[in-house]
Amino acid sequence: MKKQFLLGLLSLLMAYIPVFGQDQHVEEKKFLEELTYEKQPGFANASSKIFTSERKFTVSGFGEINYVNFQGQKDKSSGDMELYYSNLFRTGIWLGYKFTDKIIMVGELQTEYITDQFREGQLDFAYELVIDFLLSNQFNIRVGNYPMGIGWVNQNDEPIGFKTVNRPEVERLIIPTAWMEMGVLFYGFALPDLEYALGLTNGFNGPNFTSGTWARNGRNHNMFEVPSSWALNGKLQYGDEDDFLIGLSGYYGDASKGYTFAKNYENPYAGQHLNSQMGMFSAHGIYNIGNLELFGLYTKGWLTGTEQLYHIDGQILGAETYGYYLQAAYDILPHFGASGDWKLPLFARYERLNTHQRIHKDLEGIHEGLAMNDLQVISIGFNAQPKKSVVFKANYQFRKNFAGAPEPDQIEFGVGFIF
């Protein structure tokens, strides 16, 4: 597995580094123009490229290679290999096209290959397609399979957007990043630096929820599916992430997915329709002062109908969940007289989450089918950035599951870039 990681790292670097001796003016004429790092609301840096380009067509994207070494055997009962992989190779290619200056289409194809410590492999593809109607700075419309604005990483999931090799556990197990849904979004700036968004999308697929990962397996990956349940999402965000920023976001919708219980007389809900509603709230903040960056995020989730969901496949789901993390990063290179684009922030992050903060009274005392993540994760590490678009990452995580399940510490290494 180490050999796979090193070969993947070499191929990624060879793909990124331009050929020596090429004329810079020739490079500028190519379709891979430089990023401006101006984000369109709801998108990260690379996916925003078409919105600031003077061209009708752009290509952008990201790549990352990660290696995770577990200090013990990792539990794989979740069935979601992304939560216990050892090697990851992920690329995303964005194609942007301007029909007019007011009508812009953006599509992404993301490819991910992962292997785990049990020497199993998995290849996944994800896609995204949206059309934005840019009416004014105050009001715009987005239609398609778009990333939800809950939390931070889900709309900033390129490798330079978060410090650890993996996305924070709070934004994988409570906020199920990466999370896209089919729907419509209205967004803009109500005031200078005050971004808002309000959307209507597919609701979660509650019958697919699992105990240890809560709503993660209920995401809808098929953008062509006719919605059988609906949900609202909203976001308010004020400020600039390079200075001071605060944000609030929320989600509420039907998680029943039109499910009807079979007429099995041993089931107390036989012949009835599932009635399950899901809500989520999140708040985040960023503060930069000199070489120091402070970040914090809190999220809270609610789920009704967990006593009914138990009778579908025996999963005991949290009626309430929560998660938060606090992070500090400090760039040490200025103290060594470094100049140029290089940055070397050291960081520490404390995470706490619980997928079962509260359990429905009818499910208390039942242990079969109960897989809990009552996690504490402390991460320390560094990011080496020779330029803003490239990052080499390393971190160690001290992990503990207060629910009693084994949760080994892990060492992580990664490299990523955007273009």
Coordinates of all heavy atoms in Angstrom, one line a residue, residues 205-243:
N205 N -33.0 10.0 2.0 CA -33.5 8.6 1.9 C -33.4 8.0 3.3 O -32.4 7.2 3.5 CB -32.8 7.8 0.8 CG -33.5 6.5 0.5 OD1 -34.4 6.1 1.2 ND2 -33.1 5.9 -0.5
G206 N -34.3 8.2 4.2 CA -34.2 7.7 5.5 C -34.1 6.2 5.7 O -33.3 5.7 6.5
P207 N -34.8 5.4 4.8 CA -34.6 3.9 5.0 C -33.2 3.4 4.8 O -32.8 2.3 5.1 CB -35.5 3.4 3.9 CG -36.6 4.4 3.8 CD -35.9 5.7 4.0
N208 N -32.3 4.3 4.2 CA -30.9 3.9 4.0 C -30.0 4.3 5.1 O -28.8 4.0 5.1 CB -30.4 4.5 2.7 CG -30.9 3.7 1.4 OD1 -31.5 2.7 1.6 ND2 -30.6 4.3 0.3
F209 N -30.5 5.1 6.1 CA -29.7 5.5 7.2 C -29.1 4.3 8.0 O -29.7 3.3 8.1 CB -30.5 6.4 8.2 CG -30.9 7.7 7.6 CD1 -31.7 8.5 8.4 CD2 -30.5 8.2 6.4 CE1 -32.1 9.8 7.9 CE2 -30.9 9.4 5.9 CZ -31.7 10.2 6.7
T210 N -27.9 4.5 8.5 CA -27.2 3.5 9.3 C -26.9 4.1 10.7 O -26.6 5.3 10.8 CB -26.0 2.9 8.7 OG1 -25.0 4.0 8.4 CG2 -26.4 2.2 7.3
S211 N -26.8 3.3 11.7 CA -26.6 3.7 13.0 C -25.4 4.5 13.3 O -25.4 5.6 13.8 CB -26.6 2.5 14.0 OG -26.4 2.9 15.3
G212 N -24.2 4.0 12.9 CA -23.0 4.7 13.2 C -22.6 5.9 12.3 O -21.8 6.7 12.7
T213 N -23.3 6.0 11.1 CA -23.0 7.1 10.2 C -24.2 8.0 10.1 O -24.2 8.9 9.2 CB -22.6 6.6 8.9 OG1 -23.6 5.8 8.3 CG2 -21.3 5.7 9.0
W214 N -25.3 7.8 10.8 CA -26.5 8.6 10.8 C -27.0 8.8 9.4 O -27.4 7.8 8.8 CB -26.2 10.0 11.5 CG -27.4 10.6 12.1 CD1 -28.4 10.0 12.9 CD2 -27.9 12.0 11.9 NE1 -29.4 10.9 13.2 CE2 -29.1 12.1 12.6 CE3 -27.4 13.1 11.2 CZ2 -29.8 13.3 12.7 CZ3 -28.1 14.2 11.2 CH2 -29.3 14.4 12.0
A215 N -27.1 10.0 8.9 CA -27.8 10.3 7.6 C -26.9 10.1 6.4 O -27.3 10.2 5.3 CB -28.3 11.7 7.6
R216 N -25.6 9.8 6.6 CA -24.6 9.8 5.5 C -25.1 8.9 4.3 O -24.9 9.3 3.1 CB -23.3 9.3 6.0 CG -22.2 9.3 5.0 CD -20.8 9.0 5.6 NE -19.8 8.9 4.6 CZ -19.1 9.9 4.1 NH1 -19.4 11.1 4.5 NH2 -18.2 9.8 3.1
N217 N -25.6 7.7 4.6 CA -26.0 6.8 3.5 C -27.3 7.1 2.9 O -27.8 6.5 2.0 CB -26.0 5.3 4.0 CG -24.6 4.7 4.2 OD1 -23.6 5.4 3.8 ND2 -24.5 3.5 4.7
G218 N -28.0 8.2 3.4 CA -29.2 8.6 2.8 C -29.1 9.7 1.8 O -30.1 10.2 1.3
R219 N -27.9 10.1 1.4 CA -27.7 11.1 0.4 C -28.2 10.5 -1.0 O -28.1 9.3 -1.2 CB -26.2 11.5 0.3 CG -25.6 12.1 1.5 CD -24.1 12.2 1.4 NE -23.5 10.8 1.4 CZ -22.2 10.6 1.3 NH1 -21.4 11.6 1.1 NH2 -21.8 9.3 1.3
N220 N -28.7 11.4 -1.8 CA -29.2 11.0 -3.1 C -28.1 11.3 -4.2 O -27.8 12.5 -4.5 CB -30.5 11.8 -3.5 CG -31.6 11.5 -2.5 OD1 -32.1 10.4 -2.4 ND2 -31.9 12.5 -1.6
H221 N -27.5 10.3 -4.8 CA -26.5 10.5 -5.7 C -27.0 10.5 -7.2 O -26.3 10.8 -8.1 CB -25.5 9.3 -5.6 CG -24.8 9.3 -4.3 ND1 -23.8 10.3 -3.9 CD2 -24.8 8.5 -3.2 CE1 -23.4 10.0 -2.7 NE2 -24.0 9.0 -2.3
N222 N -28.3 10.2 -7.4 CA -28.8 10.1 -8.7 C -29.6 11.4 -9.0 O -30.7 11.7 -8.5 CB -29.8 8.9 -8.9 CG -30.3 8.8 -10.3 OD1 -30.0 9.6 -11.2 ND2 -31.2 7.8 -10.5
M223 N -28.9 12.3 -9.8 CA -29.5 13.6 -10.1 C -30.8 13.5 -11.0 O -31.5 14.5 -11.1 CB -28.5 14.5 -10.7 CG -28.0 14.2 -12.0 SD -26.8 15.4 -12.7 CE -27.9 16.7 -13.1
F224 N -31.0 12.4 -11.6 CA -32.1 12.3 -12.5 C -33.3 11.6 -11.9 O -34.3 11.4 -12.5 CB -31.7 11.5 -13.8 CG -30.5 12.1 -14.5 CD1 -29.3 11.5 -14.5 CD2 -30.7 13.2 -15.3 CE1 -28.2 12.1 -15.2 CE2 -29.7 13.8 -15.9 CZ -28.4 13.3 -15.9
E225 N -33.2 11.3 -10.6 CA -34.3 10.7 -9.9 C -35.4 11.7 -9.6 O -35.2 12.9 -9.3 CB -33.8 10.2 -8.5 CG -34.8 9.5 -7.7 CD -34.3 9.1 -6.3 OE1 -33.3 9.7 -5.9 OE2 -34.9 8.2 -5.7
V226 N -36.7 11.2 -9.8 CA -37.8 12.1 -9.5 C -38.0 12.2 -8.0 O -38.1 11.1 -7.4 CB -39.1 11.5 -10.2 CG1 -40.3 12.3 -9.8 CG2 -38.9 11.4 -11.7
P227 N -38.0 13.4 -7.4 CA -38.1 13.5 -6.0 C -39.4 12.9 -5.4 O -40.4 13.1 -6.0 CB -38.0 15.0 -5.7 CG -37.4 15.5 -7.0 CD -37.8 14.7 -8.1
S228 N -39.2 12.1 -4.4 CA -40.4 11.6 -3.7 C -40.5 12.2 -2.3 O -41.5 11.9 -1.5 CB -40.3 10.1 -3.6 OG -39.1 9.7 -3.0
S229 N -39.6 13.1 -1.9 CA -39.7 13.8 -0.7 C -38.9 15.1 -0.9 O -38.0 15.2 -1.8 CB -39.1 13.0 0.5 OG -37.7 12.7 0.3
W230 N -39.2 16.1 -0.1 CA -38.6 17.5 -0.3 C -38.0 18.0 0.9 O -38.3 17.6 2.1 CB -39.7 18.4 -0.8 CG -40.3 18.0 -2.1 CD1 -41.4 17.2 -2.3 CD2 -39.8 18.3 -3.4 NE1 -41.6 17.1 -3.7 CE2 -40.6 17.7 -4.4 CE3 -38.7 19.0 -3.9 CZ2 -40.4 17.8 -5.7 CZ3 -38.5 19.1 -5.2 CH2 -39.3 18.5 -6.2
A231 N -37.1 19.0 0.7 CA -36.4 19.6 1.9 C -36.0 21.0 1.5 O -35.8 21.4 0.4 CB -35.1 18.8 2.2
L232 N -35.9 21.8 2.6 CA -35.5 23.2 2.4 C -34.1 23.4 3.0 O -33.7 22.7 4.0 CB -36.4 24.2 3.2 CG -37.8 24.4 2.6 CD1 -38.7 25.2 3.6 CD2 -37.7 25.2 1.2
N233 N -33.2 24.2 2.4 CA -31.9 24.5 3.0 C -31.7 26.0 2.9 O -32.2 26.7 1.9 CB -30.8 23.7 2.3 CG -30.6 24.1 0.9 OD1 -29.8 25.0 0.6 ND2 -31.3 23.4 -0.1
G234 N -30.9 26.6 3.8 CA -30.7 28.0 3.8 C -29.3 28.3 4.4 O -28.8 27.5 5.2
K235 N -28.8 29.5 4.1 CA -27.5 29.9 4.5 C -27.4 31.4 4.6 O -27.9 32.1 3.7 CB -26.4 29.3 3.6 CG -25.0 29.8 3.9 CD -24.1 29.2 2.8 CE -22.7 29.7 3.0 NZ -21.8 29.1 1.9
L236 N -26.8 31.9 5.7 CA -26.4 33.3 5.8 C -24.9 33.3 6.2 O -24.5 32.6 7.1 CB -27.2 34.0 6.9 CG -28.6 34.5 6.5 CD1 -29.2 35.1 7.8 CD2 -28.5 35.6 5.4
Q237 N -24.1 34.1 5.5 CA -22.7 34.2 5.7 C -22.2 35.6 5.6 O -22.5 36.3 4.5 CB -21.9 33.3 4.8 CG -20.4 33.2 5.1 CD -19.8 32.0 4.3 OE1 -19.8 30.9 4.8 NE2 -19.2 32.3 3.2
Y238 N -21.4 36.1 6.6 CA -21.0 37.5 6.5 C -19.5 37.6 6.7 O -18.9 36.9 7.5 CB -21.6 38.3 7.6 CG -21.1 39.7 7.7 CD1 -21.6 40.7 6.8 CD2 -20.1 40.1 8.6 CE1 -21.1 42.0 6.8 CE2 -19.6 41.4 8.7 CZ -20.1 42.3 7.8 OH -19.6 43.6 7.8
G239 N -18.8 38.4 5.9 CA -17.4 38.6 6.0 C -16.5 38.0 4.9 O -17.0 37.7 3.8
D240 N -15.2 38.0 5.2 CA -14.2 37.5 4.2 C -13.4 36.4 4.9 O -12.8 36.7 6.0 CB -13.4 38.7 3.8 CG -12.3 38.3 2.8 OD1 -12.0 37.1 2.6 OD2 -11.6 39.2 2.3
E241 N -13.2 35.3 4.3 CA -12.5 34.2 5.0 C -11.0 34.5 5.2 O -10.4 33.8 6.0 CB -12.6 32.9 4.2 CG -12.0 32.9 2.8 CD -12.2 31.6 2.1 OE1 -13.2 31.5 1.4 OE2 -11.4 30.7 2.2
D242 N -10.5 35.5 4.5 CA -9.1 35.8 4.7 C -8.9 36.8 5.9 O -7.8 37.2 6.2 CB -8.5 36.5 3.5 CG -8.3 35.4 2.3 OD1 -8.0 34.3 2.6 OD2 -8.5 35.8 1.2
D243 N -10.0 37.3 6.4 CA -10.0 38.2 7.6 C -10.9 37.7 8.7 O -10.5 37.0 9.6 CB -10.5 39.6 7.0 CG -10.4 40.6 8.1 OD1 -9.7 40.4 9.1 OD2 -11.1 41.7 7.9

